[in-house]
């Protein structure tokens, strides 16, 4: 399983962020062909106390090739453009491959 991970720093206005993220951005992202699942985690702290991070979103694809194909679609481009519009200064992206063992 291949995934793209979006890690968001804490926004100034968490209520506005949540409203936009869950009601506008996630529905837009769910339209991406080949996207198998989305898991969103709110970060509530760290072993050292508070965390600068607020939210992690994992977007799952069958494999890296499926992700590459999905990335070429208009739906993927729309999602990417949208996240940069409302959270470009807050988000960092990573790629990962789940390991069984």
């Amino acid at each position: 399983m291949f995934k793209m991970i979006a890690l968001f720093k804490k926004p100034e206005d968490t209520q506005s962020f949540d409203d936009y993220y869950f009601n506008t951005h996630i529905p837009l992202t769910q339209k991406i062909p080949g996207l198998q699942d989305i898991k969103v985690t709110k970060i509530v702290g760290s072993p050292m106390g508070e965390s600068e991070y607020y939210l992690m979103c994992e977007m799952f694809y069958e494999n890296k090739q499926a992700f590459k194909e999905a990335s070429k679609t208009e739906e993927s481009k729309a999602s990417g453009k949208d996240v940069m519009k409302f959270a470009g200064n807050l988000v960092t992206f990573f790629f990962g491959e789940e390991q069984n063992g």
Side-chain angles (χ1 to χ4, degrees):
M1 184 75 50
F2 186 84
K3 60 184 165 180
M4 181 173 186
I5 302 158
L7 188 59
F8 294 87
K9 290 183 179 175
K10 190 170 187 177
E12 286 185 30
D13 183 345
T14 57
Q15 189 170 359
S16 291
F17 179 93
D18 285 358
D19 182 51
Y20 189 88
Y21 187 78
F22 290 105
N23 297 316
T24 302
H25 184 69
I26 288 293
L28 186 65
T29 301
Q30 288 172 324
K31 294 178 182 176
I32 298 173
L35 179 65
Q36 294 185 338
D37 195 12
I38 296 176
K39 293 188 190 238
V40 178
T41 303
K42 278 216 177 162
I43 298 170
V44 296
S46 78
M48 272 64 99
E50 248 186 82
S51 172
E52 70 176 303
Y53 295 102
Y54 179 66
L55 189 134
M56 178 179 69
C57 177
E58 297 172 288
M59 294 153 279
F60 295 84
Y61 296 86
E62 184 177 350
N63 52 43
K64 189 174 185 179
Q65 187 59 37
F67 168 77
K68 285 182 176 184
E69 291 301 316
S71 296
K72 297 175 187 175
T73 66
E74 290 305 312
E75 293 88 347
S76 179
K77 291 174 186 173
S79 175
K81 188 174 182 180
D82 185 62
V83 75
M84 296 314 289
K85 177 184 78 175
F86 83 92
N89 61 331
L90 300 174
V91 68
T92 302
F93 294 101
F94 302 92
F95 297 118
E97 291 183 353
E98 289 196 336
Q99 305 295 301
N100 295 324

